Amino acid sequence: MSTVWKFGADVDTDQIVPGRYAPYMRPDADVGEAAFIEARPEFAKNAQAGDVIVALENFGCGSSREYAVEALRRRKVGAIIALSFARIFYRNALNLGIPLFESPEIVAALQDGDEVTLDIPNQRVRLGEKSYLLPELPVFAREILEAGGIVPYVRMHGRFPEEE
Amino acid sequence: MGQTVAEQILSHRAGKTVKAGDFVVVEPDVVMSHDSLTPGIIKILRQELGMEKVRHPERLVFVLDHVAPASTVGTADLQNQVRRFAQEQDVRLFDVGRGICHQVLVEEKIAAPGKIVIGSDSHSTGYGSVGAFGTGMGSTDIALIWATGRTWLRVPETYRVIVEGRFPPGVDAKDLALKLCREITIDGANYMAVEYHGLDWMPLENRQTLASMAVEMGGKAGIVPPFGVAAEHFSTPEWLSIDPGAQYARTLTVDISSLEPQVSKPHAVDHVVDLSDVAGTHVDVVFIGTCTNGRYEDMKAAAGLLAGKRIAKNVRLIVTPASSRELARAAADGTLTALLEAGATLTTPGCGMCMGRHQGTLGEEDVCLSTANRNFKGRMGSPNAQIYLASPAVAAATALTGAITDPRGC
Ligand code: SF4
């Protein structure tokens, strides 16, 4: 089972990992421990591998800092489901292989603390008796995620997505 | 069919006509990274991509600005690593004290009209001030450009902003930038290029203020077409123009002739109100600096109000010039003296306290009025600190009283 961590709109990258917790500032620390360290300390303490982040509009706005995504990857976040994502965050998350979906239906259905089953191969999230369909991803996004991120993708294909 | 400026630039570099929604693979002209992320990018290049050499060192630029000079043993060691790498690979490096990456690349004319400039930093939209396609990417994307010379992009739709009129006294480009965040909101231009029209009269430094804040509305780029009074700074390629047939996803027209000073309230950039709504709010720290408003003209606007006066007793006024060149200009004509005599603290050109890492990090109880571009919770230090954003003139007027103050009454 995965726990749902629900957030509001416009969660910025300073909330995900404040600049003061960047690897540059703390080269010996695990940036995963800094995930939501100030905005949601219970997440920093208790989030488990496979947990699901659910949020309203514009998740990940602000800085280009990939270490915000890296922190979530280290925490092995199973998926991020939001109404929408900020541009750089979306790209960084695909690049590091974190599945992310835009689904108003699932965002409305899932509440903070819900226990769900996340089944990405079958595009499903199950909450109790109910099962929700994860939306189809754009082709490039699906391919990058299937490869495990952009680096393995480029190594595997020898080209960028959509490159002839 | 006509093309937006973003479509023209991306088509030119892709060698074929592309339009919004298309994917392109292009060779960026310039790849900028700063001290905060370059060590991590080196690691990705070596450990994940298994490469020792960057493909086109002449296209890379490193700027040490985010913690400048180093504040800890860790940052000092990582900066030395970046210096060594730059030397080994023959990459241009601007060391601590030279200034903020976005300012330095414009001053050095490395960012230029029609070029694609990719930065390891979201405010790379600022290169649009000279008519470049500037955008920010994460470390892995930058490492891939180092390795291959290429990157892939989705050609953005364009949000056209038409500006009418001229600023009334006491109101400037920052007020316009905040007004646009207010109207367009924090994600209203997500995935889009913002193209600013009607600004041929606008000087370069004002264009930098606007373009740097395009990302605060979600913009992928923020482009002021490189024509008009700022032309002395540019050599604009002949293929670049404002195309009357271009298709815009959205258009907003703003008349600035009756614009009031704008203030963004904690903790989101688009929580913008007219200054009169927050006038009198107590402030402990006033910060003048950043890639949005740390230039000579910004310091001069502040000095105009502060000359011959003293800041309020309980206020700290921290001034961090955007570059060594802007600092030298302020030192040459008495601007700097006026600020220092009024009680300002001067720090090294660079990002300063913008990210809360050094040179003025905010504590629990601090209320700060800043000329920066972001006021997210915890951005400048304690998550309990309050950050207001405003123009340099508002910053100076506020420093004099210790409360948010309209510069037009000073
Ligand atoms: S001044 Fe602030 S916003 Fe600008 S590049 Fe530096 S840290 Fe980023």
Side-chain angles (χ1 to χ4, degrees), chain B residues 62-94:
Chain B
F62 298 159
V63 186
L64 308 190
D65 58 355
H66 272 56
V67 179
S71 62
T72 59
V73 174
T75 51
D77 287 343
L78 288 168
Q79 290 183 7
N80 285 336
Q81 190 196 340
V82 174
R83 292 185 183 102
R84 265 198 312 277
F85 185 83
Q87 209 176 14
E88 260 166 52
Q89 310 266 336
D90 210 10
V91 168
R92 267 171 303 185
L93 178 141
F94 296 96

Side-chain angles (χ1 to χ4, degrees), chain B residues 65-66 100-102 121 123 290-292 350-351 354-355 373 379:
Chain B
D65 58 355
H66 272 56
I100 304 168
C101 49
H102 309 310
D121 189 280
H123 291 101
T290 80
C291 52
T292 293
C351 300
C354 181
M355 294 189 81
N373 40 51
R379 167 115 183 140

